[in-house]
């Protein structure tokens, strides 16, 4: 079976043509770099995605601190991950890079703050 | 029971507010019932914003008489009430012999009406006045002008309010009944008692007239669409350019706005739905094409917005458009001033219309002038219009002038704060826009609308779900992304 | 009036990168003027990841990408003023700005324009219909959600397949809104393929090409939109209209360089990019006024914005130190397949990186640069997409300073 993939690893967005037999890629063409091969294999077995969202900041100069995952997690766990992150709330000041959840849902991925939010003045 | 008013005015547009302002010279308890959440959501805010010379109306009509009067007093009014007005003149452009005949007739008609300074000019003079215009000759009306229709209406309303008139928004009148020496006006918010009623309901004038017992006025809507062009185009158009008119339709014209934009429009579609302000594609295409015949600078890249407005026209059984009707029908509805079919030139004529209406009242009741009437009203200072030195001084006096919230129109925090705390208590996004020009520029609020929304929440203690865009139920936001505590 | 060697208008990615590079080239008398409370520009609201792969070889969120440059600005002590809006830049490089502290004016030796871009609006497109609440550009919706913690939508339709629109489709979905569909008037998507994959396909959001909105409904809040298929001239095909009930319409229909200050300064604009006409030094027609980033031409990736601003800074540093830069008499001319090229003028004596976008999807082609009939640079493309910016390096030793450069697409 021939299937098309759009590699999402980098902005090139290579369009890959993949010959699949028994759920495995037997040939991959169209990729500009080896990451395309890894991507297709991952997509066939266990597609992975990163997500970004925000957490509320108490007493912050901004209401929200943005967060993301340090590594992608299985695509079908995205909404579970969102539910976990939605439980979070932090207090100002909070620094970018702060880990809020380690090993999210048991995966090798942490939820980290991506924007420093200082305390609200006055 | 709520207190009893001497006069309740139904409709707070420019005519209703002009009546309120002119009546507030007298010792009267005045209220204004407005169905919308601000004073210029309908015809008053949706028009060409041109102050007319008074030549395009049949001699002897109220339209002719009151338009000429309104034109003459606009300079003084603008000075008293602090709204932007420019007597820039205007040209009606023609090409054919037939056009010339019509223009000569229009000029003569204008002179009969009392419009002064009108002249027929040749192509050279026309191009001196408006360099890019397409036309062989024109009638030039030096006393025509432009104003800011929002500021104008708001100024009238605020001045009326300062002189004691109460404004009630979201108060649509749903019924009127007679009581001893007056009326009970039912609204969606309850009943109001008054000795006098003024029907200044604009598009609703027929409905209110019926409620008063003065039945039979047939009102049709003439819906006109407009396109607004970027301020880049303003300097290319020093005055409005019209085609050769008829006495009932001005034609699609190109108009410079007081703020330096250009508008093109309106077409005139007869409508019966007075709440629908959609602009169809075919009309936009038609406007661009028609206006390009007059002025060659119309490019889609300069479009920043479109809008439409509806003029309430009183027509007879044959569909012929009638004059303004300003009346008191003692036999049917005593102590009720009925204003019907107030369409163009209602903007120019609003104050003379009000004075005419008040004179009818005076013929029936002595009105006592107040000693403390203040004809002056101060608007919000526009930072962008100031010189560098004045800007520096303003910031020094009030640092809020140093915080630019709207980048396109360079509107500062101080101006937006003043607008949020406006005397009439209007709190919609569009209300702030009309008062400051924030969100009105080329990015259409892309940069400032979140800031304005946040300021409305903070200043008025509103929840984000309570902030409205323009009309009732025009919620802007549905809540928070994350609960704060 | 206070003097400054360099004033940078805008502290977003382009302005920050220019400032850091100027510093690295020995220029110290710099001032960045930023109208917002924080440096970082639009990146502050772009909380999704995917930034920095080219520039930093790692994937970052927008705020993190910006912070890398902000940290350098802070470490080096490069002066900046936030909450300061530039009101005017004059042809003789007097910069006037307002802040709560007062009105400030500087005489600059050089002005760097890095104001970025704004979004095309509903009015600019002339979408027919009513004007209810609930019609937002993608960037406004993004700001409400990511900066202001406000939810602007429940039932959503998106017009335009620009990258921000697709990213907002995912963002809205993650936060509980329902995105019904994305409609694109062009026959090909305007955003990057990876965003179609990870923002739309992942969430089962359909993308309809050759479709547009023909009417907006609702007198208060949006109640729905009418959508129709379009023909090859982008005209709605009668009979294909379909109504969608929704409370929100998100527009992702293009970005426009924000050049109002440039125009006041007498800077000549290019009708195609709506940004300045620049030479290989990123200098505009006004000597000492430079432009880079999205104010010059809209980029696909912030990485290229930073790199362009760094190239600009090298020239601006040379200008401030040594005076007028070499003449650029060679025009860069593009064929009909290419929307524009940056720079528009070169000297022919220096390596130059040409940036361009194709106007339509072209497969298996070569981007060829010729001078005086001779091929001097070429790049093979498997697929050239309008969504992607193409860059091609032209070496100095292949060029002369007479004869226009002609850029074309050959299949």
């Amino acid at each position: 079976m021939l299937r098309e993939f759009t590699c999402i690893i980098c902005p090139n967005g290579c369009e890959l043509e993949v010959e699949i037999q028994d759920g495995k890629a037997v040939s991959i063409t169209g990729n500009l770099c080896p990451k395309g091969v890894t991507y297709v294999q991952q997509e066939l077995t266990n597609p992975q995605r990163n997500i970004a969202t925000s957490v509320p900041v108490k007493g912050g100069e901004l209401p929200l601190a943005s967060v993301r995952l340090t590594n992608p997690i299985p695509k079908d766990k995205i909404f579970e991950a969102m539910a976990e992150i939605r439980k979070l709330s932090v207090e100002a000041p909070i620094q970018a890079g702060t880990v809020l959840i380690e090993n999210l849902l048991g995966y090798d991925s942490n939820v980290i703050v991506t924007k420093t939010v200082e305390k609200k003045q006055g | 029971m709520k207190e009893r008013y001497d006069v309740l005015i139904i409709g707070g547009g420019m005519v209703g507010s002009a009546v309120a302002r002119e009546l507030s010279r007298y010792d009267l308890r005045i209220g204004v019932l407005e169905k919308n959440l601000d004073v210029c959501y309908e015809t008053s805010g949706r028009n060409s914003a041109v102050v007319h010379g008074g030549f395009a109306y049949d001699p002897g009509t109220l339209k002719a008489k009151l338009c000429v009067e309104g034109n003459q007093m606009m300079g003084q009014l603008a000075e008293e009430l602090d709204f932007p007005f420019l007597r820039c003149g205007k040209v009606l452009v023609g090409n054919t012999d037939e056009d010339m005949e019509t223009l000569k007739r229009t000029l003569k008609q204008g002179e009969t009406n009392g419009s002064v300074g009108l002249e027929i000019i040749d192509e050279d003079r026309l191009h001196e006045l408006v360099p890019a215009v397409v036309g062989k000759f024109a009638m030039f009306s030096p006393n025509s002008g432009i104003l800011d229709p929002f500021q104008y209406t708001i100024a009238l309303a605020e001045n009326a309010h300062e002189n004691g008139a109460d404004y009630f928004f979201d108060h649509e009148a749903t019924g009127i009944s007679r009581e001893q020496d007056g009326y009970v006006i039912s609204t969606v918010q309850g009943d109001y008692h008054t000795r006098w009623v003024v029907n200044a309901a604009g598009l609703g004038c027929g409905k209110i007239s019926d409620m008063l017992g003065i039945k039979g006025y047939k009102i049709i809507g003439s819906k006109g669409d407009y396109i607004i062009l970027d301020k880049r185009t303003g300097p290319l158009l020093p005055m409005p350019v019209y085609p050769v008119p008829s006495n009932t339709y001005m034609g699609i014209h190109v108009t410079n706005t007081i703020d330096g934009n250009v508008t093109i429009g309106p077409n005139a579609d007869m409508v019966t739905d007075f709440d629908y302000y959609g602009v169809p594609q075919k009309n936009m295409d038609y406007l661009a094409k028609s206006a390009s015949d007059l002025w060659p600078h119309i490019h889609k890249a300069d479009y920043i917005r479109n809008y439409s407005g509806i003029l309430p026209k009183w027509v007879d059984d044959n569909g012929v458009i009638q004059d303004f009707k300003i009346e008191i029908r003692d036999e049917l509805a005593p102590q009720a001033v009925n204003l019907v079919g107030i369409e163009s030139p209602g903007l120019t004529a609003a104050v003379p219309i009000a004075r005419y209406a008040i004179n009818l009242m005076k013929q029936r009741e002595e009105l006592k002038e107040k000693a403390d009437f203040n004809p002056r009203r101060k608007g919000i200072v526009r930072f962008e219009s100031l010189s560098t030195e004045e800007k520096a001084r303003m910031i020094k006096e009030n640092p809020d002038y140093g915080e630019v919230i709207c980048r396109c129109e360079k509107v500062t925090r101080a101006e937006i704060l003043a607008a949020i705390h406006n005397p009439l208590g209007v709190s919609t996004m569009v209300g702030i826009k009309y008062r400051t020009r924030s969100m009105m520029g080329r990015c259409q609020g892309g940069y400032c609308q979140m800031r304005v929304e946040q300021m409305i929440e903070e200043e008025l203690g509103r929840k984000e779900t309570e902030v409205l865009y323009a009309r009732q139920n025009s919620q802007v936001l549905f809540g928070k992304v994350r609960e704060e505590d | 009036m206070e003097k400054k060697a360099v004033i940078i208008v805008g502290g977003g990615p382009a302005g920050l990168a220019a400032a850091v590079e100027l510093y690295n080239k020995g220029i110290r008398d710099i001032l960045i003027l930023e109208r917002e409370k924080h440096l970082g520009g639009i990146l502050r609201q772009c909380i999704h990841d995917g930034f920095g792969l080219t520039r930093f070889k790692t994937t970052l969120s927008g705020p993190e990408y910006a912070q890398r440059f902000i940290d350098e600005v802070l470490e080096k002590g490069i002066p900046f003023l936030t909450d300061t809006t530039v009101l005017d830049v004059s042809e003789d490089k007097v910069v006037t700005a307002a802040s709560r502290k007062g009105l400030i004016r500087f005489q600059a030796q050089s002005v760097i324009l890095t104001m970025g871009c704004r979004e095309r609006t509903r009015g600019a497109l002339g979408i027919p219909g009513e004007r209810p609440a609930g019609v937002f550009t993608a960037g406004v919706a993004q700001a409400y959600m990511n900066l202001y913690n406000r939810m602007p939508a429940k039932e959503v339709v998106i017009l335009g397949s620009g990258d921000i629109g697709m990213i907002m489709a995912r963002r809205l979905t993650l936060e509980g809104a329902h995105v019904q569909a994305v409609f694109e008037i062009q026959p090909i998507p305007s955003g990057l393929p990876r965003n179609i994959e990870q923002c739309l396909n992942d969430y089962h959001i359909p993308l309809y090409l050759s479709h547009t909105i023909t009417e907006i409904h609702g007198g208060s809040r949006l109640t729905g939109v009418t959508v129709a298929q379009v023909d090859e001239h982008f005209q709605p095909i009668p009979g294909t209209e379909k109504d969608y009930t929704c409370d929100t319409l998100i527009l992702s229909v293009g970005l426009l360089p924000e050049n109002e200050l440039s125009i006041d300064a007498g800077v000549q604009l290019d009708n195609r990019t709506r940004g300045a006409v620049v030479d290989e030094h990123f200098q505009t027609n006004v000597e000492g006024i430079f432009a880079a980033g999205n104010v010059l031409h809209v980029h696909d990736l912030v990485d290229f914005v930073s790199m362009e601003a760094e190239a600009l800074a090298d020239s601006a540093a040379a200008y401030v130190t040594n005076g007028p830069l070499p003449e650029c008499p060679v025009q860069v001319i593009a064929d009909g397949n290419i929307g524009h090229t940056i720079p528009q003028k070169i000297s022919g004596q220096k390596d130059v990186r040409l940036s361009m976008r194709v106007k339509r999807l072209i497969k298996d082609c070569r981007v060829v640069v010729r001078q005086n009939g001779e091929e001097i640079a070429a790049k093979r493309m498997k697929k050239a997409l309008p969504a992607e910016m193409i860059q091609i390096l032209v070496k100095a030793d292949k060029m002369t300073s007479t004869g226009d450069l002609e850029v074309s697409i050959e299949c």
Side-chain angles (χ1 to χ4, degrees):
Chain A
M1 185 183 73
L2 201 64
R3 214 180 120 187
E4 288 187 355
F5 287 83
T6 303
C7 179
I8 62 166
I9 301 303
C10 88
N12 283 329
C14 292
E15 286 189 10
L16 313 174
E17 284 205 345
V18 183
E19 179 65 37
I20 300 167
Q21 280 174 13
D22 303 328
K24 282 183 182 151
V26 291
S27 86
I28 300 174
T29 55
N31 51 314
L32 290 173
C33 77
K35 286 177 196 155
V37 177
T38 321
Y39 173 72
V40 168
Q41 282 160 354
Q42 187 72 255
E43 281 294 289
L44 285 172
T45 53
N46 182 13
Q48 305 270 314
R49 296 292 184 269
N50 204 326
I51 51 170
T53 180
S54 299
V55 298
V57 186
K58 281 183 205 154
E61 45 154 7
L62 302 170
L64 297 174
S66 52
V67 299
R68 68 172 169 93
L69 312 185
T70 50
N71 284 312
I73 57 166
K75 188 163 100 174
D76 57 9
K77 300 291 178 201
I78 283 175
F79 285 93
E80 273 176 60
M82 280 297 295
E84 288 303 310
I85 297 170
R86 209 167 273 133
K87 293 176 192 162
L88 298 173
S89 166
V90 298
E91 261 181 58
I94 184 92
Q95 298 299 314
T98 307
V99 175
L100 299 183
I101 301 179
E102 255 180 275
N103 299 328
L104 176 67
L105 303 173
Y107 297 101
D108 175 26
S109 178
N110 301 336
V111 176
I112 58 160
V113 173
T114 57
K115 186 192 283 171
T116 296
V117 178
E118 302 294 348
K119 257 194 171 145
K120 190 177 197 148
Q121 290 179 348
Chain B
M1 192 181 112
K2 289 188 181 172
E3 72 180 299
R4 186 180 162 100
Y5 282 89
D6 292 313
V7 187
L8 275 177
I9 300 162
I10 301 175
M14 52 180 64
V15 172
S17 288
V19 172
R21 190 254 185 176
E22 290 302 306
L23 269 181
S24 68
R25 293 173 184 275
Y26 304 98
D27 193 9
L28 295 167
R29 192 86 189 89
I30 302 162
V32 179
L33 302 174
E34 168 56 50
K35 74 171 182 177
N36 288 298
L37 304 180
D38 198 354
V39 289
C40 36
Y41 279 0
E42 296 186 6
T43 313
S44 299
R46 298 166 168 275
N47 52 64
S48 298
V50 172
V51 175
H52 292 300
F55 45 78
Y57 314 101
D58 292 335
T61 58
L62 283 178
K63 284 182 182 174
K65 175 178 155 23
L66 301 178
C67 181
V68 169
E69 284 178 29
N71 181 297
Q72 285 165 356
M73 70 170 65
M74 200 56 84
Q76 191 202 335
L77 211 54
E79 201 266 321
E80 280 179 0
L81 295 177
D82 192 21
F83 62 84
F85 163 62
L86 181 67
R87 208 179 279 285
C88 54
K90 95 174 182 186
V91 285
L92 315 183
V93 175
N95 291 290
T96 65
D97 291 348
E98 204 190 329
D99 289 347
M100 182 56 103
E101 283 311 303
T102 310
L103 286 182
K104 281 182 175 162
R105 211 166 46 235
T106 305
L107 186 144
K108 206 158 178 336
Q109 176 174 279
E111 284 174 344
T112 310
N113 291 348
S115 180
V116 293
L118 304 177
E119 56 177 318
I120 303 286
I121 57 173
D122 64 12
E123 194 169 355
D124 287 348
R125 181 79 201 288
L126 173 60
H127 284 131
E128 267 171 42
L129 292 174
V130 188
V133 71
V134 182
K136 292 201 162 61
F137 50 84
M139 189 188 93
F140 173 47
S141 165
N143 285 312
S144 297
I146 53 175
L147 53 66
D148 179 332
F150 311 120
Q151 300 275 1
Y152 173 53
T153 311
I154 290 163
L156 287 164
E158 287 186 356
N159 189 236
H161 179 75
E162 278 161 25
N163 286 297
D166 293 335
Y167 269 75
F168 300 96
F169 295 106
D170 193 16
H171 273 64
E172 182 172 6
T174 52
I176 301 173
S177 55
R178 295 279 290 277
E179 64 176 1
Q180 180 73 40
D181 189 32
Y183 294 88
V184 186
I185 303 178
S186 306
T187 76
V188 289
Q189 311 283 0
D191 290 351
Y192 288 79
H193 299 263
T194 182
R195 282 198 307 116
W196 281 87
V197 183
V198 179
N199 171 14
L203 288 163
C205 66
K207 221 155 77 179
I208 301 298
S209 186
D210 281 350
M211 285 182 199
L212 284 167
I214 309 170
K215 306 226 184 232
Y217 284 113
K218 190 178 171 198
I219 306 298
I220 56 162
S222 172
K223 179 168 168 286
D225 303 314
Y226 295 83
I227 300 169
I228 310 175
L229 305 182
D230 192 279
K231 279 189 169 176
R232 193 189 72 78
T233 56
L236 304 170
L237 187 72
M239 66 179 72
V241 175
Y242 280 60
V244 172
S246 77
N247 273 11
T248 51
Y249 175 48
M250 299 277 195
I252 289 168
H253 43 269
V254 187
T255 308
N256 50 322
T257 76
I258 198 89
D259 296 290
N261 298 85
V262 167
T263 61
I264 57 181
N267 51 305
D269 291 349
M270 292 307 149
V271 297
T272 49
D273 181 350
F274 295 168
D275 281 319
Y276 181 77
Y277 289 106
V279 179
Q281 182 69 54
K282 67 171 172 42
N283 288 5
M284 275 189 271
D285 297 343
Y286 175 66
L287 292 180
K289 198 187 154 299
S290 305
S292 294
D293 293 342
L294 287 174
W295 193 65
H297 293 297
I298 294 159
H299 305 291
K300 203 171 172 196
D302 289 321
Y303 287 14
I304 62 172
R305 197 170 175 85
N306 48 60
Y307 69 97
S308 67
I310 305 173
L311 295 173
K313 291 182 187 267
W314 167 35
V315 294
D316 67 11
D317 289 340
N318 300 317
V320 178
I321 295 164
Q322 304 294 302
D323 194 13
F324 293 155
K325 173 60 81 180
I326 306 171
E327 62 180 359
I328 296 176
R329 298 281 289 273
D330 298 301
E331 78 287 11
L332 294 172
Q335 289 164 212
V337 186
N338 200 28
L339 292 89
V340 176
I342 310 298
E343 51 138 343
S344 181
L347 177 149
T348 312
V351 171
I353 288 169
R355 290 181 183 171
Y356 187 96
I358 292 165
N359 269 330
L360 297 180
M361 291 173 69
K362 281 182 176 170
Q363 288 163 13
R364 288 158 179 83
E365 174 173 319
E366 197 188 333
L367 302 181
K368 208 170 105 231
E369 285 195 30
K370 281 195 303 215
D372 59 351
F373 172 76
N374 177 12
R376 309 192 78 80
R377 166 263 184 193
K378 194 84 197 93
I380 298 170
V381 176
R382 288 224 48 208
F383 181 74
E384 199 197 0
S385 69
L386 303 175
S387 69
T388 305
E389 292 68 31
E390 287 171 319
K391 280 177 181 155
R393 184 177 56 77
M394 292 296 280
I395 299 173
K396 212 166 191 180
E397 283 173 11
N398 178 1
D400 286 337
Y401 279 104
E403 204 175 323
V404 177
I405 302 286
C406 162
R407 65 182 172 195
C408 299
E409 300 293 312
K410 302 200 175 86
V411 183
T412 62
R413 183 178 194 85
E415 292 158 84
I416 291 171
L417 285 174
I420 291 174
H421 298 290
N422 67 84
L424 299 176
V426 172
S427 62
T428 62
M429 300 279 280
V430 167
I432 308 307
K433 167 171 152 172
Y434 286 169
R435 282 163 178 78
T436 61
R437 288 194 59 78
S438 61
M439 304 173 275
M440 238 187 225
R442 49 175 66 95
C443 92
Q444 290 284 293
Y447 180 71
C448 67
Q449 69 164 283
M450 301 77 75
R451 292 161 171 79
V452 172
E453 190 282 330
Q454 187 181 39
M455 286 173 73
I456 294 174
E457 282 184 38
E458 286 171 0
E459 293 297 318
L460 302 178
R462 299 279 166 91
K463 286 215 283 239
E464 69 281 355
T465 47
E466 294 166 344
V467 175
L468 296 180
Y469 175 66
R471 290 194 197 172
Q472 288 87 343
N473 304 315
S474 61
Q475 194 178 345
V476 177
L477 298 166
F478 292 125
K480 295 188 173 74
V481 178
R482 293 282 176 274
E483 275 316 306
E484 298 160 7
D485 45 11
Chain C
M1 202 179 327
E2 198 179 334
K3 288 189 172 143
K4 288 278 165 209
V6 184
I7 297 239
I8 298 175
V9 184
L16 292 168
V20 171
E21 180 66 11
L22 277 164
Y23 187 96
N24 290 340
K25 292 282 166 187
I27 310 295
R28 295 290 180 271
D29 188 17
I30 307 169
L31 180 61
I32 307 170
L33 299 176
E34 166 56 45
R35 63 190 177 195
E36 304 247 8
K37 202 179 278 302
H38 302 90
L39 293 172
I42 202 70
L43 288 173
R44 293 178 50 73
Q45 68 185 60
C46 302
I47 64 170
H48 53 282
D49 78 328
F51 300 93
L53 272 167
T54 306
R55 184 65 176 62
F56 295 117
K57 310 290 174 217
T58 181
T59 176
L60 301 167
S61 67
E64 292 167 294
Y65 184 96
Q67 198 60 44
R68 293 217 171 183
F69 289 92
I70 296 168
D71 287 345
E72 286 206 58
V73 165
L74 296 174
E75 268 166 36
K76 293 177 163 58
I78 299 172
F80 63 89
L81 292 173
T82 51
D83 285 321
T84 304
T85 303
V86 174
L87 300 177
D88 185 64
V89 178
S90 73
E91 203 158 347
D92 49 10
K93 291 171 290 239
V94 173
V95 178
T96 309
S99 79
R100 296 185 67 87
K101 298 194 181 92
L103 201 72
I104 45 175
R105 304 189 85 194
F106 297 99
Q107 173 65 62
Q109 194 184 344
S110 170
V111 177
I112 294 177
L113 304 173
T114 48
M115 293 88 77
C117 57
R118 65 167 180 269
E119 295 177 283
R120 189 174 273 130
T121 65
R122 182 217 161 150
L125 285 181
I127 305 175
E130 297 179 86
R131 302 189 306 176
V135 181
F136 304 102
T137 57
V140 166
Q142 189 179 46
Y144 269 128
M145 288 181 74
N146 297 348
L147 299 178
Y148 290 85
N149 192 23
R150 295 291 178 268
M151 195 64 189
K154 287 193 277 202
E155 274 298 328
V156 186
V157 163
I158 298 181
L159 177 66
S161 56
D163 288 311
I164 319 169
M166 294 198 279
I167 281 158
M168 285 314 293
R170 174 176 63 182
R171 182 87 193 94
L172 283 158
T173 306
L174 287 177
E175 298 302 347
H178 177 234
V179 180
Q180 299 181 29
V182 177
F183 298 99
E184 168 62 56
I185 194 168
Q186 301 280 344
I188 54 165
S190 64
L192 297 170
R194 66 194 299 245
N195 285 330
I196 299 171
E197 191 61 32
Q198 63 183 356
C199 297
L200 303 186
N201 295 349
D202 274 3
Y203 298 91
H204 315 291
I205 300 166
L207 167 61
Y208 296 97
L209 300 172
S210 297
H211 278 72
T212 195
I213 288 178
T214 56
E215 199 171 346
I216 290 173
H217 306 284
S220 293
R221 178 81 190 195
L222 183 71
T223 56
V225 294
T226 305
V227 173
Q229 212 176 319
V230 299
D231 63 20
E232 62 273 30
H233 307 294
F234 306 116
Q235 294 304 307
I237 301 171
T240 63
E241 295 86 358
K242 200 178 159 196
D243 288 331
Y244 285 76
T245 301
C246 55
D247 54 51
T248 306
L249 172 63
I250 303 278
L251 302 175
S252 182
V253 289
L255 301 170
L256 302 168
E258 183 135 288
N259 273 295
E260 280 62 46
L261 290 171
S262 322
I263 293 167
D264 290 344
V267 169
Q268 185 200 339
L269 301 188
D270 184 324
N271 280 333
R272 300 167 303 173
T273 56
R274 296 180 75 163
V277 173
V278 291
D279 62 21
E280 68 189 25
H281 316 295
F282 295 95
Q283 185 172 227
T284 67
N285 61 306
V286 183
E287 190 191 299
I289 298 188
F290 298 80
N294 281 351
V295 78
L296 180 59
H297 59 136
V298 175
H299 291 61
D300 54 348
L301 297 177
V302 72
D303 303 64
F304 296 133
V305 167
S306 305
M307 287 148 76
E308 186 172 276
E310 283 159 354
L312 173 155
D314 294 346
S315 310
Y319 174 80
V320 168
T321 314
N322 307 322
L325 297 163
E327 291 282 302
C328 290
V330 178
Q331 301 278 336
V332 183
I333 297 166
D335 80 352
N337 292 313
I338 296 165
H340 69 270
T341 57
I342 294 286
Q344 290 92 338
K345 292 184 291 181
I346 62 166
S347 66
Q349 294 169 349
K350 199 178 128 186
D351 289 0
V352 61
R353 193 178 295 278
L354 298 178
S355 300
M356 66 199 74
R357 280 185 196 246
V358 290
K359 281 187 181 166
R360 57 186 177 86
L361 166 69
I362 307 170
K363 286 186 174 173
D364 297 314
C365 60
R366 287 192 337 133
V367 184
V368 181
V369 184
R370 287 198 172 76
Q371 191 180 31
N372 301 318
E374 219 157 300
E375 184 174 313
I376 55 171
K379 184 173 189 172
R380 184 167 290 285
M381 306 280 301
K382 220 177 141 240
K383 197 173 179 185
L385 283 174
E388 291 169 4
M389 199 171 83
I390 301 167
Q391 293 197 323
I392 182 165
L393 184 70
V394 188
K395 303 289 267 183
D397 56 8
K398 303 261 188 175
M399 285 187 282
T400 74
S401 50
T402 50
D404 295 342
L405 285 201
E406 292 166 37
V407 189
S408 57
I409 304 281
E410 295 175 5
C411 294

